[in-house]
Amino acid sequence: MAAAVAVLITVLALLGSVSCQAGSRGGSPAPAPQPPAYPPTILPPPTYPPSSSKPSPPTSQPPTSPPSPPPPIMPTTAEPPAYPPTSLSPPPLVISRPEPPTYPPASSSSPPPTISPKPPTYPPPSPSPPPPLPSSPPPSSDDDAAGKKLEVGYYESRCGPHVDVEAIVRKHVSSFDAGMKAGLIRLFFHDCFVRGCDASILLDPTSDNPQPEKLGIPNFPSMRGYEVIDAAKAELEAKCPGTVSCADVVAFAALDASFFLSGGDVDFAMPAGRYDGNVSLASETLPNLPPPFAGLQQLERMFADKGLDAFDMVALSGAHSVGRSHCSSFSRDRLPPGAATSDMDPAFAAELRANCSSADGADNTVAQDHETPDELDNQYYQNVLDRKVLFTSDAALTSKKDDMTSYLVRVYAMFPWLWQQKYAEAMVKMGSIEVKTAATGEIRRECRVVNSRP
């Protein structure tokens, strides 16, 4: 009974939260009118005659008549709370800051063409911490202002009436398979969590920077989607040169991938106006990207560092209902040799062991959602409840039975439309992390290299 009440409270809290620009791509739905308070408030009548704010100066003459008694105090009716209540606030997050260990990547589909002769081992053989380097800078006041200036329909007045920027990106996304679309959602996530949504993940290695983000352990060789961004950017440069940032192309592609993989059920307006960054360091990927073996407190801390709360974290985790993962990303902590996994369904664990075994030592891949592997839906949350998920970070969402994250998993498993709305809101919110401005970024002519300096 208590669990059912908690789930109901969570639903009411979600329904009462501020809605984002979800719905059709045309813009934001009008907010629902709030009902008046009932019963209506009865205001007290004014006191007559009005009293003076300053006391009268004393006089030497005594008053000729006794002072008039004060007027009777009229009773007032206290204002009752508005009904129905607007929202219920979730309990505050309890966040600690353990040091994140070095981690294996969460992958989406089959790897892209190899950039180096031999990819690194997943996970690294020893949990050595990354070398000390400058971490992703906190958003400045300029970056904060830029995030607020992101606009829906940003390019409608910048490329002319005959160039539909978002339609061009959508066309290229639609031409690729489900695995590539899943990779585009992951590409957006990994870009935004390292130096903000600035397309720094797209930069290729150069002699000046041989280790960009795309060669970091969480991204190489598992990251996919680069060729989709290249194709869309090339057409945009031909029709509207020097105007559309690579960062916005990545954001639009993630929106379109979500739309197609959900069969059109996830559809929202993605604000734009980002600029492209000029810095990309592989060494910044491990400290900023949540590892697949993270526990609940570490996940909450790493999302909070990016301005995202537990509601955003649980909603975005639903993207694990699409794509594939390398077995090395979860086998060490979830399928230890010679031991049963305590928090995984035994039959599911046995199936994973069979699919991950390889006579030649190959790092096999498995679907992240064994039920609907190519559909972006709320099946993921039922999988979490059934203990049929790959990563420790997935199972961690219900590791504390009375925590808000556990209630959210149950709510999203029951109400797909509610998860779709909250996922859309979280994608828009994530898309405004540390966005660059003209003062701190550029519009790249090619997404894989920074513009040449004069």
PDB file of all heavy atoms in Angstrom, residues 9-10 12-14 16-17 85-93 311 404:
ATOM      1  N   ILE A   9       2.144   9.624  -5.608  1.00  0.00           N
ATOM      2  CA  ILE A   9       2.725  10.934  -5.305  1.00  0.00           C
ATOM      3  C   ILE A   9       3.727  11.331  -6.370  1.00  0.00           C
ATOM      4  O   ILE A   9       3.782  12.478  -6.812  1.00  0.00           O
ATOM      5  CB  ILE A   9       3.389  10.897  -3.919  1.00  0.00           C
ATOM      6  CG1 ILE A   9       2.309  10.782  -2.824  1.00  0.00           C
ATOM      7  CG2 ILE A   9       4.252  12.138  -3.685  1.00  0.00           C
ATOM      8  CD1 ILE A   9       2.867  10.611  -1.434  1.00  0.00           C
ATOM      9  N   THR A  10       4.526  10.375  -6.824  1.00  0.00           N
ATOM     10  CA  THR A  10       5.504  10.663  -7.865  1.00  0.00           C
ATOM     11  C   THR A  10       4.833  11.093  -9.153  1.00  0.00           C
ATOM     12  O   THR A  10       5.265  12.019  -9.825  1.00  0.00           O
ATOM     13  CB  THR A  10       6.384   9.424  -8.121  1.00  0.00           C
ATOM     14  OG1 THR A  10       6.963   8.994  -6.886  1.00  0.00           O
ATOM     15  CG2 THR A  10       7.501   9.754  -9.107  1.00  0.00           C
ATOM     16  N   LEU A  12       1.902  12.556  -9.465  1.00  0.00           N
ATOM     17  CA  LEU A  12       1.390  13.908  -9.279  1.00  0.00           C
ATOM     18  C   LEU A  12       2.502  14.940  -9.347  1.00  0.00           C
ATOM     19  O   LEU A  12       2.323  16.025  -9.899  1.00  0.00           O
ATOM     20  CB  LEU A  12       0.666  13.998  -7.930  1.00  0.00           C
ATOM     21  CG  LEU A  12      -0.649  13.198  -7.817  1.00  0.00           C
ATOM     22  CD1 LEU A  12      -1.180  13.265  -6.408  1.00  0.00           C
ATOM     23  CD2 LEU A  12      -1.685  13.737  -8.803  1.00  0.00           C
ATOM     24  N   ALA A  13       3.669  14.602  -8.788  1.00  0.00           N
ATOM     25  CA  ALA A  13       4.793  15.530  -8.851  1.00  0.00           C
ATOM     26  C   ALA A  13       5.234  15.758 -10.283  1.00  0.00           C
ATOM     27  O   ALA A  13       5.530  16.873 -10.684  1.00  0.00           O
ATOM     28  CB  ALA A  13       5.962  14.993  -8.017  1.00  0.00           C
ATOM     29  N   LEU A  14       5.279  14.687 -11.069  1.00  0.00           N
ATOM     30  CA  LEU A  14       5.675  14.823 -12.464  1.00  0.00           C
ATOM     31  C   LEU A  14       4.660  15.621 -13.251  1.00  0.00           C
ATOM     32  O   LEU A  14       4.997  16.457 -14.083  1.00  0.00           O
ATOM     33  CB  LEU A  14       5.857  13.436 -13.096  1.00  0.00           C
ATOM     34  CG  LEU A  14       7.046  12.638 -12.580  1.00  0.00           C
ATOM     35  CD1 LEU A  14       6.951  11.207 -13.058  1.00  0.00           C
ATOM     36  CD2 LEU A  14       8.345  13.266 -13.055  1.00  0.00           C
ATOM     37  N   GLY A  16       2.759  17.876 -12.144  1.00  0.00           N
ATOM     38  CA  GLY A  16       2.744  19.268 -11.731  1.00  0.00           C
ATOM     39  C   GLY A  16       3.975  20.037 -12.124  1.00  0.00           C
ATOM     40  O   GLY A  16       4.037  21.232 -11.927  1.00  0.00           O
ATOM     41  N   SER A  17       5.008  19.359 -12.653  1.00  0.00           N
ATOM     42  CA  SER A  17       6.231  20.064 -13.021  1.00  0.00           C
ATOM     43  C   SER A  17       6.031  20.869 -14.282  1.00  0.00           C
ATOM     44  O   SER A  17       5.100  20.651 -15.037  1.00  0.00           O
ATOM     45  CB  SER A  17       7.373  19.063 -13.214  1.00  0.00           C
ATOM     46  OG  SER A  17       7.082  18.212 -14.283  1.00  0.00           O
ATOM     47  N   PRO A  85      -3.613  20.772  -5.636  1.00  0.00           N
ATOM     48  CA  PRO A  85      -2.261  21.294  -5.446  1.00  0.00           C
ATOM     49  C   PRO A  85      -1.521  21.340  -6.762  1.00  0.00           C
ATOM     50  O   PRO A  85      -1.743  20.522  -7.634  1.00  0.00           O
ATOM     51  CB  PRO A  85      -1.633  20.268  -4.474  1.00  0.00           C
ATOM     52  CG  PRO A  85      -2.460  19.044  -4.631  1.00  0.00           C
ATOM     53  CD  PRO A  85      -3.847  19.524  -4.963  1.00  0.00           C
ATOM     54  N   THR A  86      -0.625  22.326  -6.898  1.00  0.00           N
ATOM     55  CA  THR A  86       0.073  22.490  -8.172  1.00  0.00           C
ATOM     56  C   THR A  86       1.119  21.403  -8.396  1.00  0.00           C
ATOM     57  O   THR A  86       1.225  20.858  -9.463  1.00  0.00           O
ATOM     58  CB  THR A  86       0.747  23.862  -8.224  1.00  0.00           C
ATOM     59  OG1 THR A  86       1.582  23.995  -7.073  1.00  0.00           O
ATOM     60  CG2 THR A  86      -0.309  24.949  -8.230  1.00  0.00           C
ATOM     61  N   SER A  87       1.910  21.069  -7.423  1.00  0.00           N
ATOM     62  CA  SER A  87       2.910  20.020  -7.606  1.00  0.00           C
ATOM     63  C   SER A  87       3.408  19.569  -6.255  1.00  0.00           C
ATOM     64  O   SER A  87       3.211  20.226  -5.238  1.00  0.00           O
ATOM     65  CB  SER A  87       4.085  20.544  -8.456  1.00  0.00           C
ATOM     66  OG  SER A  87       4.771  21.518  -7.725  1.00  0.00           O
ATOM     67  N   LEU A  88       4.047  18.445  -6.272  1.00  0.00           N
ATOM     68  CA  LEU A  88       4.713  17.941  -5.079  1.00  0.00           C
ATOM     69  C   LEU A  88       6.187  17.912  -5.370  1.00  0.00           C
ATOM     70  O   LEU A  88       6.606  17.387  -6.382  1.00  0.00           O
ATOM     71  CB  LEU A  88       4.215  16.524  -4.743  1.00  0.00           C
ATOM     72  CG  LEU A  88       2.720  16.434  -4.408  1.00  0.00           C
ATOM     73  CD1 LEU A  88       2.323  14.997  -4.250  1.00  0.00           C
ATOM     74  CD2 LEU A  88       2.417  17.219  -3.141  1.00  0.00           C
ATOM     75  N   SER A  89       6.979  18.481  -4.513  1.00  0.00           N
ATOM     76  CA  SER A  89       8.404  18.533  -4.767  1.00  0.00           C
ATOM     77  C   SER A  89       9.035  17.212  -4.377  1.00  0.00           C
ATOM     78  O   SER A  89       8.713  16.636  -3.347  1.00  0.00           O
ATOM     79  CB  SER A  89       9.042  19.669  -3.964  1.00  0.00           C
ATOM     80  OG  SER A  89       8.446  20.901  -4.323  1.00  0.00           O
ATOM     81  N   PRO A  90       9.961  16.697  -5.206  1.00  0.00           N
ATOM     82  CA  PRO A  90      10.650  15.450  -4.839  1.00  0.00           C
ATOM     83  C   PRO A  90      11.586  15.696  -3.675  1.00  0.00           C
ATOM     84  O   PRO A  90      12.008  16.825  -3.427  1.00  0.00           O
ATOM     85  CB  PRO A  90      11.427  15.119  -6.120  1.00  0.00           C
ATOM     86  CG  PRO A  90      11.640  16.447  -6.760  1.00  0.00           C
ATOM     87  CD  PRO A  90      10.416  17.250  -6.435  1.00  0.00           C
ATOM     88  N   PRO A  91      11.897  14.673  -2.926  1.00  0.00           N
ATOM     89  CA  PRO A  91      12.832  14.853  -1.815  1.00  0.00           C
ATOM     90  C   PRO A  91      14.188  15.272  -2.337  1.00  0.00           C
ATOM     91  O   PRO A  91      14.552  14.928  -3.460  1.00  0.00           O
ATOM     92  CB  PRO A  91      12.880  13.441  -1.185  1.00  0.00           C
ATOM     93  CG  PRO A  91      12.458  12.534  -2.263  1.00  0.00           C
ATOM     94  CD  PRO A  91      11.484  13.307  -3.083  1.00  0.00           C
ATOM     95  N   PRO A  92      14.942  16.042  -1.541  1.00  0.00           N
ATOM     96  CA  PRO A  92      16.254  16.472  -2.020  1.00  0.00           C
ATOM     97  C   PRO A  92      17.166  15.289  -2.207  1.00  0.00           C
ATOM     98  O   PRO A  92      17.080  14.273  -1.524  1.00  0.00           O
ATOM     99  CB  PRO A  92      16.741  17.400  -0.892  1.00  0.00           C
ATOM    100  CG  PRO A  92      15.972  16.958   0.316  1.00  0.00           C
ATOM    101  CD  PRO A  92      14.644  16.490  -0.200  1.00  0.00           C
ATOM    102  N   LEU A  93      18.055  15.418  -3.173  1.00  0.00           N
ATOM    103  CA  LEU A  93      18.982  14.344  -3.462  1.00  0.00           C
ATOM    104  C   LEU A  93      20.081  14.318  -2.413  1.00  0.00           C
ATOM    105  O   LEU A  93      20.554  15.367  -1.959  1.00  0.00           O
ATOM    106  CB  LEU A  93      19.621  14.562  -4.838  1.00  0.00           C
ATOM    107  CG  LEU A  93      18.648  14.641  -6.001  1.00  0.00           C
ATOM    108  CD1 LEU A  93      19.426  14.919  -7.278  1.00  0.00           C
ATOM    109  CD2 LEU A  93      17.884  13.344  -6.125  1.00  0.00           C
ATOM    110  N   PHE A 311      15.433  13.511 -11.742  1.00  0.00           N
ATOM    111  CA  PHE A 311      14.366  13.330 -12.725  1.00  0.00           C
ATOM    112  C   PHE A 311      14.962  13.242 -14.126  1.00  0.00           C
ATOM    113  O   PHE A 311      14.584  12.384 -14.935  1.00  0.00           O
ATOM    114  CB  PHE A 311      13.373  14.496 -12.646  1.00  0.00           C
ATOM    115  CG  PHE A 311      12.490  14.465 -11.442  1.00  0.00           C
ATOM    116  CD1 PHE A 311      12.939  14.922 -10.213  1.00  0.00           C
ATOM    117  CD2 PHE A 311      11.195  13.980 -11.518  1.00  0.00           C
ATOM    118  CE1 PHE A 311      12.131  14.903  -9.096  1.00  0.00           C
ATOM    119  CE2 PHE A 311      10.370  13.952 -10.414  1.00  0.00           C
ATOM    120  CZ  PHE A 311      10.840  14.413  -9.189  1.00  0.00           C
ATOM    121  N   MET A 404      13.674   8.407  -4.608  1.00  0.00           N
ATOM    122  CA  MET A 404      12.853   8.922  -5.695  1.00  0.00           C
ATOM    123  C   MET A 404      13.139   8.203  -7.013  1.00  0.00           C
ATOM    124  O   MET A 404      12.237   7.967  -7.810  1.00  0.00           O
ATOM    125  CB  MET A 404      13.099  10.430  -5.861  1.00  0.00           C
ATOM    126  CG  MET A 404      12.358  11.066  -7.032  1.00  0.00           C
ATOM    127  SD  MET A 404      10.563  10.898  -6.905  1.00  0.00           S
ATOM    128  CE  MET A 404      10.225  12.045  -5.584  1.00  0.00           C
TER     129      MET A 404
END
